[in-house]
Amino acid sequence: MDVLKGLNPSQVEAVLETEGPVIVLAGAGSGKTKAIVHRIAYLLDGGISERRVLAVTFTNKAAGEMRARTISMVGAAAETVWLCTFHSLCARILRVHIDKLKPIAGRQPYRQGFSIYDDDDRKQLLSDCIKNLGLDLSAESLKMARRWVSYAKLRGLEPEQLEARLAGDGQGRFARVYEQYLTRTAASNAVDFDDLLSLTLRLFDENQEVLSIYQDRFEYCMVDEFQDTNRIQYELMKRIVGKHRNLFVVGDDDQSIYAFRGADLRNILDFEKDFPDAKIIHLGQNYRSTKSILSTACSLISKNLARKKKELFTENIAGQKVELCTCGTELAEAEFVCQEIQMLRKGGDPDLSTTAVFYRTNAQSRAVEDVLVRCNMPYKIVRGLRFYERKEVRDVIAYLKASVNPDDDIALLRTINVPPRGIGKVSLDLIADEAHGSGCSLFAAVGRLKDSAAVRPALRAKLTSFHALIAALRESASAAQRPSEFINHLLCETGYLEFLLESAEGEEKTRAENVKELASVAKAFEQKHPGASVEDFAHHIALLTDLDEFDERESPVSLLTLHSAKGLEFDVVFIIGVEKGFLPHYSIRTIEQFEEERRLLYVGMTRAKKRLILTRAFRRMTFGRTTMNPESPFIDEIPAELIARRAFYGDNLL
DNA sequence: TGCGACCTAGTTTTT
DNA sequence: CTAGGTCGCA
């Protein structure tokens, strides 16, 4: 059969084992995506309707790649398979059914057309809640608040339950923050990323009818990167496969590096307990790396205690030894990397066409960037400042959201004085009080105050024109306008583009360009979804990140954190800062965290196909202070004969 | 309201 | 060191 061509026996097994629970333990570079893609193709080939198949991944990018590969195998039928991220799956379900959630006393029920709050919106709202409650508004307490809110949502806790959990620790105040946060998101008809998951789970548990729709529909369910799922995501999948139990998960416990974000390694370690009849398939053959690289990485990861025993092997050539270069300073380290890349380039080996530099923290990229710029070497930095995190982009998105969801207070707050309209803090407090007093949205409050005799005329005029502006935007958003047209319309009408250009002094030009870039994102969206409304676009954009756009093949040198390296591969990989303090990071406390750091290094190493070069700096400036970091203890765990040691003190040619 | 001086904190972050 | 946030003054 065609779909089995080019697969090894374990992969074939993973494809053919379609009924019942299956867990695939797929080592790094063992072709797990291939296995999933072929499995989907096999199902469709065998006459299973594409409506019956659900495949969930973690990033839009991974989903997109999987879709492209499936389409190339089975053709257009794959276009309509639900191949999505957990968040987009949930968003899609909630878009239809959110109003069927049981209402909760004291909180407004959710309704169609809800907004999605990202982490920044959440932060904004949380600090506002903290302020409102008259609590300590330090960075520390904001961090705690975020932590506890996430904690509660992950476990489906209501404020009272969180209170009970926290009271003993004298942290009860965070339960009140949580309560207010819930009330206010509900009032704004907004859900955050955690809500997407937890509300869907709640919906399933409250409403058997809705659950049945999906249970009956999705007969074959697959989850990629299973080691990164959190408890809720796992529960969601368990609900969906409740009837037929055709759950196929692929993961690698050794590549779990997101515990700090709630990923729960127990999901993968305990899968067999939840599904005692689960088939277990090992994908142990690595197709990516040389023997040298693989054995180095394996000797490291074998030191982890909390892992499933497994052996990886490869039929690839031995290749060059992994290198470790000790450099004088972080600048010398950067020079070394640059020089080494230049040498590889001069060699002109077409096999070494992609190169990446990995680091533990974003700040480490600086020295490397400096040197690369001075050497005129083109490079691409992955998520230095994300496109969608830029202030100007967020401002425009806020306008977009405000134009679509009349209750979205956070969006309104963001837009109200940008560009400056003379509506400052005092006026804002007035509006907030009015909204609070009459239990309406901020926008409605603006509407009331603009006609209120109690407000001074100057402010009334400002409010009137702002109110008219937003009302007009709403009008044209719901008129059948194309999203990209609407963005352009919005940029003019609000005076935002003018505002950007006015304050422009050289670099600010890029701001205007960024904003226009958003219009082209809208254009691309239109082409993909003909006839899509402004509202559709607003919903779509809430789940986008620009890692989705990253194409590791297009630039010769990529700079990225170890975390964002996951799922990618490069011919040549440099990992810089292999020092105690960075790897493991100085902040780690527990043995679990220590093992996660080890996995992080392992993930980085296993991205390399041909060459792997580790570097460390003897002396390094951190926070304006010179520190001397010893070598990473992880190096000691690798047999010395696997590593070729070098030194580079830098001749400061640059 | 807005700007500039001062202070403080400083991991990783698929959505 | 440097970016982001706060505070105080004009």
Side-chain angles (χ1 to χ4, degrees):
Chain A
M1 209 186 305
D2 217 33
V3 289
L4 298 181
K5 226 167 62 189
L7 300 180
N8 69 32
S10 313
Q11 290 170 330
V12 167
E13 198 186 350
V15 170
L16 296 182
E17 205 62 62
T18 59
E19 309 303 308
V22 180
I23 180 166
V24 178
L25 298 166
S30 64
K32 69 182 167 63
T33 309
K34 192 172 181 183
I36 298 187
V37 168
H38 282 250
R39 185 182 163 95
I40 298 173
Y42 175 75
L43 288 167
L44 299 182
D45 240 29
I48 305 289
S49 158
E50 61 271 17
R51 299 189 71 253
R52 305 251 168 255
V53 176
L54 170 69
V56 190
T57 65
F58 272 80
T59 63
N60 299 310
K61 189 180 173 215
E65 275 169 17
M66 213 173 267
R67 162 154 289 132
R69 286 171 69 170
T70 315
I71 289 174
S72 81
M73 285 191 75
V74 298
E79 265 163 33
T80 49
V81 173
W82 276 38
L83 220 162
C84 49
T85 66
F86 273 106
H87 293 267
S88 67
L89 168 71
C90 292
R92 210 164 158 179
I93 293 170
L94 290 176
R95 288 271 170 235
V96 183
H97 301 291
I98 198 165
D99 48 6
K100 299 187 185 74
L101 278 168
K102 288 211 179 102
I104 289 176
R107 239 176 275 161
Q108 285 192 47
Y110 278 109
R111 33 225 185 270
Q112 307 274 348
F114 57 85
S115 290
I116 297 174
Y117 279 179
D118 64 21
D119 284 344
D120 200 74
D121 296 325
R122 166 190 272 203
K123 213 168 112 189
Q124 215 69 45
L125 182 52
L126 270 178
S127 57
D128 209 51
C129 293
I130 294 172
K131 219 180 291 170
N132 239 325
L133 290 164
L135 299 171
D136 160 48
L137 186 68
S138 62
E140 188 65 22
S141 103
L142 184 60
K143 223 158 102 186
M144 293 282 275
R146 279 158 75 188
R147 222 186 95 207
W148 287 120
V149 166
S150 235
Y151 173 94
K153 289 196 174 175
L154 198 61
R155 288 162 184 75
L157 301 182
E158 285 297 314
E160 308 79 60
Q161 295 163 296
L162 182 65
E163 162 93 63
R165 163 74 181 70
L166 289 181
D169 305 343
Q171 311 259 285
R173 60 188 184 282
F174 289 113
R176 281 184 291 146
V177 175
Y178 179 44
E179 171 156 39
Q180 185 170 125
Y181 178 81
L182 288 173
T183 315
R184 291 179 62 179
T185 43
S188 289
N189 199 23
V191 304
D192 61 27
F193 286 146
D194 289 335
D195 288 327
L196 284 172
L197 306 172
S198 58
L199 291 181
T200 305
L201 185 64
R202 215 181 91 202
L203 179 70
F204 282 168
D205 287 342
E206 284 175 4
N207 193 320
Q208 180 57 45
E209 247 169 73
V210 172
L211 176 57
S212 282
I213 295 173
Y214 297 98
Q215 285 183 329
D216 294 338
R217 169 168 181 162
F218 296 126
E219 260 179 273
Y220 295 95
C221 299
M222 281 152 265
V223 181
D224 192 15
E225 306 280 16
F226 187 60
Q227 76 280 353
D228 290 331
T229 49
N230 63 32
R231 225 47 205 179
I232 290 221
Q233 290 163 332
Y234 184 32
E235 291 301 323
L236 275 168
M237 291 315 291
K238 283 205 261 190
R239 299 296 187 285
I240 293 177
V241 303
K243 284 189 188 161
H244 50 70
R245 302 174 79 249
N246 296 331
L247 177 59
F248 176 90
V249 302
V250 186
D252 181 4
D253 48 331
D254 291 335
Q255 291 187 63
S256 161
I257 54 175
Y258 284 106
F260 70 93
R261 277 186 113 246
D264 198 330
L265 208 46
R266 279 180 305 171
N267 289 349
I268 201 164
L269 299 175
D270 292 351
F271 187 83
E272 297 151 58
K273 278 183 208 148
D274 292 328
F275 296 96
D277 54 332
K279 281 261 165 28
I280 304 159
I281 297 172
H282 292 268
L283 296 185
Q285 178 165 6
N286 173 293
Y287 293 95
R288 181 184 295 146
S289 309
T290 61
K291 283 196 177 69
S292 303
I293 293 169
L294 193 65
S295 52
T296 305
C298 288
S299 66
L300 172 72
I301 201 65
S302 68
K303 300 293 187 297
N304 266 9
L305 300 174
R307 79 185 279 258
K308 290 190 172 280
K309 275 260 173 323
K310 66 184 84 64
E311 294 289 334
L312 277 178
F313 67 98
T314 182
E315 287 170 2
N316 293 341
I317 58 163
Q320 287 194 43
K321 255 193 194 181
V322 173
E323 295 173 61
L324 169 63
C325 183
T326 302
C327 306
T329 63
E330 80 275 14
L331 215 72
E333 182 182 50
E335 281 172 32
F336 169 77
V337 169
C338 182
Q339 201 172 294
E340 205 67 8
I341 295 174
Q342 275 171 336
M343 252 145 73
L344 292 166
R345 289 264 168 285
K346 252 190 224 130
D349 189 341
D351 262 16
L352 303 180
S353 57
T354 61
T355 301
V357 182
F358 300 161
Y359 34 80
R360 174 65 228 263
T361 68
N362 281 307
Q364 287 172 271
S365 73
R366 222 195 170 89
V368 181
E369 274 187 272
D370 279 356
V371 175
L372 289 179
V373 165
R374 276 185 286 174
C375 296
N376 262 327
M377 184 174 297
Y379 67 91
K380 190 169 177 170
I381 181 154
V382 183
R383 69 178 46 226
L385 226 192
R386 301 196 227 178
F387 180 68
Y388 292 102
E389 272 172 18
R390 287 172 189 275
K391 188 183 171 309
E392 64 275 18
V393 175
R394 298 188 52 86
D395 284 341
V396 177
I397 292 178
Y399 271 112
L400 189 61
K401 282 182 175 172
S403 309
V404 161
N405 176 1
D407 298 320
D408 191 332
D409 285 351
I410 289 292
L412 197 91
L413 222 45
R414 201 176 168 102
T415 57
I416 197 160
N417 205 28
V418 183
R421 297 192 175 87
I423 304 175
K425 197 187 168 310
V426 183
S427 320
L428 271 178
D429 285 345
L430 192 69
I431 298 167
D433 284 348
E434 173 65 25
H436 192 70
S438 47
C440 66
S441 70
L442 288 180
F443 180 66
V446 171
R448 288 157 169 268
L449 290 174
K450 78 178 174 24
D451 301 324
S452 158
V455 178
R456 48 176 235 276
L459 179 58
R460 247 161 48 191
K462 292 174 193 164
L463 293 180
T464 306
S465 81
F466 178 69
H467 192 269
L469 172 69
I470 296 294
L473 283 178
R474 291 232 164 107
E475 192 78 13
S476 61
S478 50
Q481 207 175 14
R482 290 218 305 274
S484 64
E485 279 169 9
F486 180 73
I487 300 261
N488 286 325
H489 172 76
L490 177 164
L491 287 173
C492 298
E493 289 303 300
T494 58
Y496 191 73
L497 188 61
E498 200 184 343
F499 163 69
L500 282 186
L501 291 170
E502 239 167 52
S503 58
E505 263 155 51
E507 62 169 297
E508 255 81 0
K509 273 223 181 92
T510 57
R511 293 228 203 145
E513 278 160 22
N514 284 332
V515 160
K516 286 192 192 133
E517 172 64 22
L518 205 55
S520 33
V521 172
K523 257 249 149 60
F525 177 73
E526 286 161 26
Q527 273 156 15
K528 228 172 147 187
H529 310 271
S533 67
V534 173
E535 188 174 9
D536 294 332
F537 179 64
H539 293 161
H540 166 80
I541 206 162
L543 293 174
L544 274 191
T545 72
D546 48 0
L547 193 65
D548 305 336
E549 316 279 308
F550 174 61
D551 185 347
E552 59 271 31
R553 282 153 303 212
E554 98 191 2
S555 168
V557 181
S558 307
L559 270 55
L560 54 166
T561 64
L562 285 161
H563 281 91
S564 28
K566 205 180 70 176
L568 306 174
E569 59 178 30
F570 301 88
D571 295 316
V572 184
V573 166
F574 292 86
I575 302 179
I576 66 173
V578 184
E579 296 152 33
K580 195 174 163 192
F582 283 101
L583 283 163
H585 194 264
Y586 73 89
S587 64
I588 68 131
R589 274 151 240 282
T590 65
I591 179 76
E592 287 80 14
Q593 288 174 324
F594 186 78
E595 296 209 336
E596 181 146 319
E597 297 287 304
R598 196 186 270 122
R599 289 193 291 266
L600 195 53
L601 182 55
Y602 171 78
V603 166
M605 288 176 155
T606 52
R607 302 305 97 196
K609 289 158 87 170
K610 308 279 168 49
R611 295 283 303 273
L612 173 60
I613 299 153
L614 313 174
T615 65
R616 74 159 178 120
F618 200 71
R619 231 163 354 110
R620 177 184 296 276
M621 280 280 258
T622 14
F623 307 148
R625 215 177 279 267
T626 301
T627 51
M628 311 261 268
N629 292 334
E631 190 169 281
S632 164
F634 295 138
I635 296 296
D636 259 351
E637 302 175 347
I638 300 165
E641 69 272 17
L642 289 178
I643 293 182
R645 285 178 176 267
R646 301 170 63 179
F648 181 89
Y649 291 98
D651 24 40
N652 298 317
L653 292 171
L654 300 160

